[in-house]
C-alpha cells in the first residue's frame, strides 16, 4: 500500500497569523486571554500564564486566537518549535496557527511536520531575524496514511517520546547534583556556616586575569584548536558538542587552555557563565569575551572553584555586580574581587575526586542519550516510510483500504 501525499495546505482548514498588541497600553495586558511568543515553547509543550491580554487588545492588534487542539508553530526567531494548543491562545507575529480539516489526526500531522523539519529549516531567510513564509508551510508535502494507521503511528511515537523525556528529565536532575553536593560538604557560601576563611578570587590564582583572542571563527579541522566562545558553553558549564569551529589566528598558543583553567563570560546576556577546561575537551583556545583565571593548585582546587560558580551565591553575586548599559558586563578586575571560600585543600581534593566520578557518569549518560536520539530519529523515519506499522497494516488491510477511499474523497483537490 502506497500512502498518498498532500501539501499541508490541502490538509489545513485555515492558517492563522499572529501579532503583538501595543505594549505601551497597559490595560491591554490585564485580561485573561493567554498570549504567547516563541519563547513560551519548551520541549514540545507550551508554557501558558506568562502574559495575558484582554478583548480590546485582540480587537485592536494583529494578534489572533488559535483554537484549542490546533497546531501552533514558530515560524520566526526559533523556527521549528511546534506544539498543540491546550486552550484557546492568542499568538505573536512569530507564530502560525494551523487548523486541520476534520478526520485528520493532529498529533500525526505534528509528528509528520517534525519528520520534515529539515526541509523547513533549510528554507529560512532573513539577515537578522530568520524565518519561513506561509508559502513554505503550505507547500510542505506530507504522507497521509488512513486514520487508523495515523493513530497507530502516534501511539508508537508517543511511547518513544515518553522514554526520551524521561532521559531528559534524568539529565536535568543529574545537573542539580553539583550545587547540592557543594553545599552539603561546605555549607551555603552566602552564610558560610562552617566559618571557612575567605579570600578574593585573585588571591587564590596565579597571575592576573587574561582576556581571550580577538579573532573570527573559521572551519575546524583535525589538528587545529577548538575556538571556545561564550555560545559554546552550556548552562551547566560543559562544552556544546555542536558548532565546533577554530580561530583565524596563526599565533594562538598564548590562548591555549590547559587543565584547570577557569573561564568567565564577561559580556552579554549570559555574563557570569563559567567553564572549567579538562583534558578530555581536547586542544582548545578561548575567545575575547571570556576571561581566564588560573587557580593556584597549592591553594585552590580548580574543580572546587568551578563548583562554587554553580551555586546561587555566585549567581546572586553576578546579578548584583553586572553593569547594564548596552549589554551586561563584568570585567576581569571585578571578577578578581569575588570572595571565595577557602576550606582545607585536602577537603577540596576529596570533593574534586567526587566530581571526577560525576563527570564520568555524565559522559556515560550523554552517550546513552545520543544513542537514544539516534534510535528515536530512526523510529521517526520508519514511521513515515511505512516500515514501522507494516505488520499491523497487513493485518488490517481491508479496513484501511476502505478508510483510504473515504479519506481520498474528503480531501479531493
Amino acid at each position: 500500500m502506497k500512502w498518498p501525499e498532500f501539501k499541508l495546505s490541502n490538509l489545513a482548514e485555515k492558517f492563522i497569523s499572529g501579532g503583538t498588541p501595543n505594549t505601551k497600553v497597559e490595560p491591554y495586558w490585564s485580561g485573561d486571554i493567554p498570549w504567547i511568543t516563541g519563547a513560551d515553547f519548551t520541549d514540545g509543550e507550551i508554557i501558558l500564564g506568562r502574559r495575558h491580554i484582554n478583548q480590546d487588545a485582540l480587537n485592536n492588534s494583529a494578534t489572533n486566537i488559535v483554537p484549542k487542539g490546533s497546531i501552533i508553530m514558530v515560524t520566526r526567531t526559533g523556527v521549528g518549535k511546534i506544539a498543540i494548543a491546550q486552550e484557546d491562545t492568542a499568538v505573536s507575529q512569530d507564530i502560525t496557527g494551523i487548523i486541520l480539516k476534520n478526520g485528520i489526526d493532529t498529533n500525526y500531522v505534528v509528528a509528520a511536520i517534525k519528520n520534515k523539519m529539515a526541509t523547513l529549516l533549510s528554507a529560512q531567510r532573513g539577515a537578522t531575524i530568520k524565518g519561513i513564509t506561509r508559502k513554505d508551510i503550505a507547500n510542505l508535502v506530507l504522507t497521509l496514511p488512513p486514520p487508523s494507521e495515523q493513530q497507530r503511528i502516534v501511539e508508537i511515537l508517543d511511547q518513544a517520546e515518553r522514554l526520551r523525556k524521561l532521559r531528559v528529565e534524568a539529565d536535568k536532575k543529574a545537573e542539580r547534583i553539583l550545587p547540592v553536593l557543594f553545599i552539603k560538604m561546605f555549607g551555603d557560601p552566602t552564610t558560610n556556616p562552617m566559618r571557612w576563611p575567605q579570600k578574593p578570587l585573585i588571591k587564590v590564582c596565579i597571575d592576573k586575569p587574561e582576556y581571550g583572542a580577538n579573532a573570527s571563527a573559521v572551519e575546524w579541522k583535525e589538528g587545529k584548536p577548538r575556538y571556545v566562545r561564550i555560545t559554546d558553553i552550556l548552562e551547566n558549564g560543559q562544552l556544546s558538542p555542536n558548532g565546533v569551529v577554530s580561530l583565524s589566528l596563526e599565533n594562538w598558543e598564548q590562548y591555549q587552555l590547559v587543565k584547570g583553567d577557569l573561564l568567565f563570560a564577561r559580556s552579554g546576556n549570559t555574563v557570569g557563565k563559567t567553564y572549567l577546561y579538562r583534558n578530555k575537551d581536547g586542544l582548545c583556545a578561548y575567545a575575547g569575551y571570556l576571561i581566564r583565571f588560573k587557580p593556584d593548585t597549592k591553594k585552590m582546587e580548580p574543580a572546587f572553584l568551578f563548583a562554587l560558580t554553580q551555586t546561587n551565591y555566585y549567581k546572586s553575586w553576578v546579578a548584583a555586580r553586572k553593569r547594564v548599559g548596552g549589554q551586561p558586563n563584568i570585567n576581569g578586575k571585578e571578577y578578581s574581587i569575588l570572595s571565595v571560600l577557602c576550606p582545607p585543600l585536602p577537603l577540596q581534593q576529596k570533593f574534586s575526586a567526587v566530581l571526577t566520578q560525576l563527570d564520568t557518569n555524565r559522559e556515560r549518560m550523554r552517550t546513552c542519550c545520543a544513542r537514544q536520539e539516534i534510535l528515536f530519529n530512526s523510529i521517526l523515519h520508519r514511521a513515515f516510510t511505512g516500515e514501522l506499522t507494516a505488520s499491523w497494516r497487513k493485518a488490517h488491510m481491508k479496513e484501511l483500504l476502505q478508510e483510504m477511499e473515504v479519506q481520498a474523497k474528503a480531501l479531493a483537490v
Side-chain angles (χ1 to χ4, degrees), residues 219-233:
E219 182 182 359
W220 179 85
K221 294 181 180 179
E222 193 71 36
K224 286 188 174 183
R226 174 174 183 171
Y227 197 26
V228 178
R229 305 155 296 174
I230 291 179
T231 52
D232 296 311
I233 302 173

Side-chain angles (χ1 to χ4, degrees), residues 1 19 23 40 48 51 108 129 137 151-152 168 177 189 193 202 234 264 271 275 387:
M1 177 190 294
T23 56
D40 296 304
L48 296 178
R51 305 195 77 177
Y108 172 82
I129 299 178
I137 302 170
Q151 293 169 12
R152 179 60 180 164
V168 170
I177 292 175
I202 193 65
L234 303 175
F264 290 77
V271 62
Y275 160 66
E387 296 175 36

Side-chain angles (χ1 to χ4, degrees), residues 21-38:
N22 192 332
T23 56
K24 295 180 180 179
V25 182
E26 291 187 12
Y28 283 176
W29 301 91
S30 59
D32 57 3
I33 302 171
W35 178 86
I36 63 168
T37 70

Side-chain angles (χ1 to χ4, degrees), residues 134-153:
R134 175 68 56 79
K135 185 177 180 180
D136 295 325
I137 302 170
N139 287 339
L140 189 67
V141 177
L142 306 177
T143 55
L144 193 70
S148 294
E149 194 160 5
Q150 292 177 36
Q151 293 169 12
R152 179 60 180 164
I153 289 170

Side-chain angles (χ1 to χ4, degrees), residues 14 16-22 28-29 33-37 51-66 88-97:
K14 184 180 181 182
I16 300 175
S17 300
T20 301
N22 192 332
Y28 283 176
W29 301 91
I33 302 171
W35 178 86
I36 63 168
T37 70
R51 305 195 77 177
H52 290 81
I53 60 173
N54 63 16
Q55 189 63 42
D56 285 342
L58 194 63
N59 295 338
N60 294 287
S61 71
T63 190
N64 288 288
I65 288 180
V66 177
D88 292 355
T89 307
V91 297
S92 76
Q93 62 272 20
D94 297 335
I95 292 173
T96 296

Side-chain angles (χ1 to χ4, degrees), residues 8 37 46 50 52 55 82 114 153 177 194 203 229 246 258 264 267 291 296 333 364 386 399 409:
L8 187 52
T37 70
I46 301 169
R50 290 181 176 176
H52 290 81
Q55 189 63 42
I82 188 169
K114 287 180 179 179
I153 289 170
I177 292 175
M194 299 183 184
K203 294 295 184 181
R229 305 155 296 174
S246 191
V258 298
F264 290 77
S267 185
I291 306 173
D296 183 348
K333 186 176 181 180
R364 289 173 180 167
E399 305 97 288
K409 291 180 181 179

Side-chain angles (χ1 to χ4, degrees), residues 73 79-82 110-125 131-132 136 140-142 377 380-381:
M73 181 175 176
V79 174
K81 296 178 180 178
I82 188 169
V110 168
I113 292 174
K114 287 180 179 179
N115 187 53
K116 289 291 189 76
M117 194 57 70
T119 301
L120 289 177
L121 294 177
S122 66
Q124 291 184 91
R125 291 173 289 277
I132 54 177
D136 295 325
L140 189 67
V141 177
L142 306 177
N377 289 329
L380 193 64
H381 173 73

